[in-house]
């Protein structure tokens, strides 16, 4: 790798994200390795959604805030619904649970909200991995979306196109190599992400911007509950959702998870230091925060959360402050005591609640005034801090806070799904082809990354790209698909070993893995626990998912009306958006919005520094901190520009949404 001279470099725009993010980095020079020593992440515009909500009907926020972002409408709808319910007397704030006779919404509403929201999570994770992040790891043809086109040296040899513009299929239609299989997954993922929206829209009315959420519940009603839908059509709707999400779930478990897990073996420098060869590039601040999400359990009435809220500081223990309804008072107090937003390096004027200080509790802020040219300010994002700490939010944070992704612990075992992927025959343990897509499985074998165990018995066989232990490749493929007694062996790095031993940590690859594993966790909450059958009947779900509980509630009401409270009331609602902790703060006077503030996931992750340069207490935002120590290579793109792919990989791993962050 060639080093760039020491100096300042702009990677702007960060491509394949939502919105306009740039990162300026300071590098040291050769011979020290051209690593990044300082970083400045900046959101490049301001929009002002919070200001023009003032004076509107409180319920309007549910509709208006969905327009903050084209890919995050439903997260804003969820947080805004909870916030609106907190000031209209529907709930006590934070998260709305099932009706207990005094406050809350019907169980049917709880489950519909969970199912539509979780469908959004799956869409976001699949889109991010395959269509946003993948082109930084998988070389495609020299055309969009693989532009800027990076040098061969910046890709794993297994994931280079070799000049191919379309997948090259081997015998019987199976991919000749791992690159071909992944490219076909890229195309297939387009359909899968569409299915998440089709499923969600069955209850949301439409996706991604929805029309079914309202303070007090949802608009979905059967005839028995005063609506127009029959019991029969309700059952059909639930079954259609289940069928769509079953296909999505199989894709996640059989294709998305194995590829996301294997990526660390292909890019070890970006993996955490617990795994062999890892350098841990992109480790970040190692502080994690989650608000919690998905109340109600299978039947919608449980007072617990499927994803708990809490935090973990670097080197400290997990602190859980929100595991269910009984924690509401303490969780709200924790937010009030610990959450502040700083504007020290943000392009906002010292006015209103910021007139005499540079940090404020969001619920107190009535208006934010933009100011472009103030000295030392470089971003349109504010800087949220938890008790003064910069906190990473998102899938990795949620998994860490919930104990599902532990540092230096086998990840799949911690999550409880490792046994799904393994099979032992006559003492030979390998990847169970029932849980890996056949095309991907064959490609992994040919790349010497997998050992497949198929049917009841067999003998170990060696593998290369043209034949397996003297058998023609087509013969092996036929045996594999037909379920004959055969073991395909000889992998240099058996995937089964990697799947069952790869350990958690903090790195660029960890963020990508955490999205895949959280998706595997959520799809089982939606349609039921996964179990494996025989080859050809590879995966089944349920019957313990939210959709199973919802089927029994078809005749019940989904909405409960509440009287509009008099006077001025303040409250807030939170949700775990796909990108992380999201909070909406509102003050309502006579049913009209007097104050409104949003604290958004990428405002946390993409935040600027919270103090002056060089000040001993200044903390970088998580994306800025993740850049420190990352190499900056002199390799160029096809148009002769410095690629900056290292910066892209780290920034993209957070899945930034600047449209939300500069709301």
């Amino acid at each position: 790798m060639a080093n760039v001279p020491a100096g300042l470099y702009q990677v702007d725009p960060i491509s394949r994200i939502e919105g306009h993010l740039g990162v300026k980095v300071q590098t040291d020079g050769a011979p020290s390795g051209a690593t990044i020593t300082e970083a400045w992440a900046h959101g490049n515009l301001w929009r002002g959604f919070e200001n023009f909500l003032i004076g509107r009907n409180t319920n309007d926020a549910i509709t208006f805030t969905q327009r903050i972002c084209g890919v995050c409408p439903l997260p804003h709808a969820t947080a805004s619904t909870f916030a609106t319910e907190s000031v209209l007397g529907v709930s006590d704030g934070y998260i709305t649970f099932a009706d207990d006779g005094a406050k809350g919404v019907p169980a049917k509403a709880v489950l519909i909200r969970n199912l539509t929201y979780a469908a959004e999570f799956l869409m976001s994770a699949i889109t991010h991995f395959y269509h946003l992040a993948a082109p930084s790891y998988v070389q495609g043809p020299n055309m969009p979306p693989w532009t800027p086109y990076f040098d061969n040296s910046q890709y794993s040899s297994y994931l280079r196109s070799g000049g191919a513009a379309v997948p090259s299929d081997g015998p019987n239609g199976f991919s000749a190599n791992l690159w071909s299989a992944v490219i076909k997954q890229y195309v297939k993922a387009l359909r899968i992400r569409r299915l998440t929206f089709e499923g969600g829209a069955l209850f949301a009315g439409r996706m991604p911007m929805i029309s079914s959420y309202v303070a007090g519940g949802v608009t979905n009603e059967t005839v028995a509950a005063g609506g127009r839908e029959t019991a029969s059509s309700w059952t059909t709707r639930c079954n259609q959702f289940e069928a769509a999400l079953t296909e999505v779930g199989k894709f996640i478990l059989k294709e998305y998870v194995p590829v996301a897990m294997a990526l660390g073996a292909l890019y070890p420098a970006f993996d955490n230091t617990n795994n062999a060869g890892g350098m841990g590039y992109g480790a970040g601040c190692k502080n994690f925060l989650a608000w919690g999400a998905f109340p109600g359990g299978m039947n919608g009435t449980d007072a617990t959360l499927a994803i708990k809220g809490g935090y973990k500081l670097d080197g400290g223990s997990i602190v859980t402050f929100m595991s269910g309804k009984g924690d509401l008072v303490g969780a709200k107090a924790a937010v009030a005591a610990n959450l502040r937003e700083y504007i020290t390096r943000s392009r906002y004027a010292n006015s209103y609640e910021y007139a005499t200080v540079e940090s404020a509790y969001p619920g107190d802020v009535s208006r934010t005034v933009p100011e472009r040219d103030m000295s030392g300010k470089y971003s349109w994002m504010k800087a949220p801090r938890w008790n003064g700490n910069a906190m990473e939010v998102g899938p990795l944070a949620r998994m860490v806070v919930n104990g599902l992704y532990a540092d230096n612990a086998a990840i799949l075992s911690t999550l409880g799904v490792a046994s799904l992927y393994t099979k032992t025959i006559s003492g030979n343990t390998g990847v169970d082809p029932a849980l890996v897509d056949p095309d991907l499985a064959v490609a992994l074998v040919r790349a010497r990354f997998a050992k497949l165990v198929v049917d009841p018995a067999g003998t170990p066989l060696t593998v290369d790209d043209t034949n397996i232990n003297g058998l023609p490749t087509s013969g092996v493929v036929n045996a594999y698909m037909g379920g004959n007694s055969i073991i395909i062996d000889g992998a240099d790095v058996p995937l089964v070993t990697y799947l069952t031993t790869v350990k958690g940590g903090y790195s660029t690859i960890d963020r990508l893995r955490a999205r895949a594993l959280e998706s595997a966790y959520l799809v089982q909450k939606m349609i039921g626990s996964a179990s494996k059958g025989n080859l050809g009947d590879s995966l089944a779900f349920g019957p313990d998912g939210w959709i199973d509980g919802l089927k029994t509630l078809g005749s019940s009401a989904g909405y409960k009306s509440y009287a509009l409270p008099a006077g001025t009331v303040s409250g807030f609602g939170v949700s775990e958006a796909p990108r992380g902790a999201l909070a909406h703060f509102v003050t309502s006077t006579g049913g009209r919005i007097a104050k409104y503030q949003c604290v958004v996931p990428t405002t946390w992750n993409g935040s600027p520094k919270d103090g002056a340069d060089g000040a001993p207490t200044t903390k970088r935002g998580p994306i800025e901190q993740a850049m420190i120590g990352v190499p900056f290579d002199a390799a160029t793109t096809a148009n002769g520009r410095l690629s900056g792919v290292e910066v892209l990989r780290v920034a993209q791993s957070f899945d930034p949404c600047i449209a939300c962050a500069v709301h």
Side-chain angles (χ1 to χ4, degrees):
M1 294 175 64
N3 297 325
V4 298
L8 291 170
Y9 296 89
Q10 286 274 11
V11 183
D12 187 359
I14 299 292
S15 57
R16 295 188 300 278
I17 65 167
E18 170 64 21
H20 307 285
L21 173 68
V23 178
K24 181 169 71 174
V25 297
Q26 170 75 54
T27 67
D28 55 13
S32 57
T35 59
I36 296 171
T37 58
E38 188 54 273
W40 298 264
H42 48 93
N44 294 338
L45 54 82
W46 178 73
R47 303 172 72 207
F49 261 82
E50 297 156 329
N51 290 355
F52 62 68
L53 284 171
I54 295 172
R56 297 187 180 275
N57 185 290
T58 306
N59 245 318
D60 287 350
I62 299 171
T63 299
F64 274 79
T65 58
Q66 289 186 62
R67 274 70 184 172
I68 287 175
C69 174
V71 297
C72 304
L74 213 162
H76 287 291
T78 302
S80 186
T81 299
F82 291 159
T84 300
E85 288 173 339
S86 75
V87 297
L88 296 184
V90 177
S91 75
D92 291 320
Y94 201 93
I95 290 173
T96 304
F97 288 84
D99 183 13
D100 60 5
K103 292 186 177 182
V105 296
K108 185 177 183 180
V110 173
L111 291 177
I112 286 175
R113 290 175 179 182
N114 283 353
L115 287 165
T116 54
Y117 199 24
E120 165 87 5
F121 268 65
L122 302 184
M123 181 283 301
S124 182
I126 291 167
T127 302
H128 175 259
F129 186 76
Y130 285 100
H131 307 124
L132 301 181
S136 294
Y137 300 89
V138 184
Q139 190 181 48
N142 189 6
M143 59 184 289
W146 278 274
T147 51
Y149 197 64
F150 305 123
D151 186 78
N152 281 354
S153 64
Q154 298 192 305
Y155 292 100
S156 163
S157 60
Y158 290 100
L159 297 178
R160 294 175 190 162
S161 68
V166 294
S168 175
D169 291 339
N172 294 336
F174 284 94
S175 293
N177 51 48
L178 188 56
W179 177 85
S180 299
V182 173
I183 293 295
K184 285 198 289 186
Q185 278 195 315
Y186 175 97
V187 176
K188 184 176 181 179
L190 291 169
R191 178 176 182 276
I192 296 299
R193 74 179 296 279
R194 189 190 78 217
L195 286 176
T196 65
F197 273 175
E198 290 179 357
L202 288 167
F203 299 121
R206 58 182 181 177
M207 293 278 274
M209 293 183 183
I210 65 165
S211 54
S212 65
Y213 286 15
V214 63
V218 293
T219 59
N220 311 77
E221 298 287 18
T222 57
V223 172
R228 296 183 177 182
E229 185 166 38
T230 67
S232 176
S233 65
W234 175 258
T235 299
T236 298
R237 187 185 300 261
C238 289
N239 289 339
Q240 287 174 332
F241 179 93
E242 188 171 26
L245 269 295
T246 296
E247 185 172 352
V248 173
K250 289 182 177 181
F251 176 84
I252 287 169
L253 284 168
K254 297 176 66 174
E255 301 185 58
Y256 180 15
V257 168
V259 170
M261 293 293 289
L263 196 62
L266 298 170
Y267 290 91
F270 286 87
D271 202 355
N272 68 69
T273 53
N274 297 324
N275 298 314
M279 297 298 291
Y281 294 149
C285 61
K286 300 179 183 178
N287 301 328
F288 300 99
L289 173 71
W291 296 137
F294 301 111
M298 174 184 168
N299 296 314
T301 56
D302 289 354
T304 58
L305 295 175
I307 294 178
K308 295 179 288 188
Y311 66 89
K312 182 181 184 300
L313 299 178
D314 185 18
S317 301
I318 297 170
V319 177
T320 301
F321 56 70
M322 185 59 188
S323 59
K325 190 174 182 179
D327 295 331
L328 277 174
V329 173
K332 290 164 64 178
V335 173
N338 291 287
L339 176 60
R340 298 293 182 274
E341 280 195 302
Y342 289 75
I343 62 166
T344 311
R345 309 303 297 276
S346 307
R347 288 173 166 157
Y348 298 106
N350 295 97
S351 59
Y352 293 89
E353 287 69 31
Y354 291 106
T356 57
V357 295
E358 291 195 317
S359 67
Y361 175 64
D364 295 336
V365 176
S366 59
R367 188 176 290 271
T368 304
V369 178
E371 180 59 66
R372 177 181 294 277
D373 298 322
M374 297 179 73
S375 176
K377 299 197 174 193
Y378 61 89
S379 179
W380 292 109
M381 290 180 276
K382 295 180 182 179
R385 296 294 184 261
W386 181 264
N387 193 22
N389 295 289
M391 309 295 286
E392 179 176 334
V393 301
L396 179 59
R398 288 190 288 266
M399 298 289 280
V400 168
V401 168
N402 280 265
L404 300 174
Y405 199 103
D407 185 17
N408 203 25
I411 302 169
L412 291 187
S413 295
T414 301
L415 193 61
V417 298
S419 61
L420 286 176
Y421 289 95
T422 60
K423 189 171 187 177
T424 301
I425 297 172
S426 302
N428 289 278
T429 301
V431 174
D432 187 344
L435 259 294
V436 181
D437 178 79
D439 182 61
L440 178 61
V442 171
L444 287 166
V445 169
R446 289 174 173 165
R448 304 183 72 82
F449 269 97
K451 168 183 172 177
L452 299 176
V453 180
V454 184
D455 230 26
T459 56
L461 304 169
T462 58
V463 60
D464 60 38
D465 280 343
T466 57
N467 62 72
I468 299 180
N469 206 30
L471 294 174
T473 306
S474 58
V476 172
V477 171
N478 287 335
Y480 169 67
M481 293 303 295
N484 297 326
S485 300
I486 187 170
I487 297 175
I488 306 175
D489 198 359
D492 293 330
V493 186
L495 182 62
V496 65
T497 303
Y498 193 79
L499 284 171
T500 55
T501 62
V502 67
K503 297 178 179 179
Y506 315 121
S507 70
T508 302
I509 296 294
D510 283 295
R511 293 187 192 93
L512 301 181
R513 270 198 297 252
R515 274 188 187 82
L517 297 178
E518 182 182 61
S519 298
Y521 175 76
L522 280 178
V523 78
Q524 293 180 81
K525 293 293 182 182
M526 297 170 74
I527 58 175
S529 302
S531 59
K532 60 182 180 180
N534 298 318
L535 191 64
D537 182 21
S538 59
L539 198 57
F541 295 93
D544 55 352
W546 296 326
I547 189 63
D548 298 295
L550 184 61
K551 288 178 181 179
T552 69
L553 298 176
S555 61
S556 65
Y559 173 76
K560 181 179 180 180
S561 62
Y562 290 82
L564 184 69
T568 297
V569 185
S570 295
F572 68 94
V574 303
S575 68
E576 280 298 319
R579 291 166 172 85
L582 171 64
H584 284 212
F585 297 81
V586 62
T587 296
S588 173
T589 301
R592 297 281 178 176
I593 296 171
K595 298 179 182 179
Y596 208 99
Q597 290 288 303
C598 306
V599 183
V600 179
T602 301
T603 315
W604 286 98
N605 290 334
S607 62
K609 298 171 180 62
D610 54 27
D613 280 344
T617 57
T618 297
K619 299 178 182 66
R620 304 180 184 96
I623 289 178
E624 292 180 336
Q625 183 61 45
M627 298 292 170
I628 307 304
V630 173
F632 198 84
D633 189 27
T636 60
T637 63
N639 63 7
R641 302 291 184 89
L642 284 173
S643 76
V645 69
E646 304 92 347
V647 173
L648 285 181
R649 285 173 180 158
V650 173
Q652 287 168 343
S653 71
F654 289 87
D655 194 11
C657 182
I658 309 307
C660 286
V662 296
H663 46 269

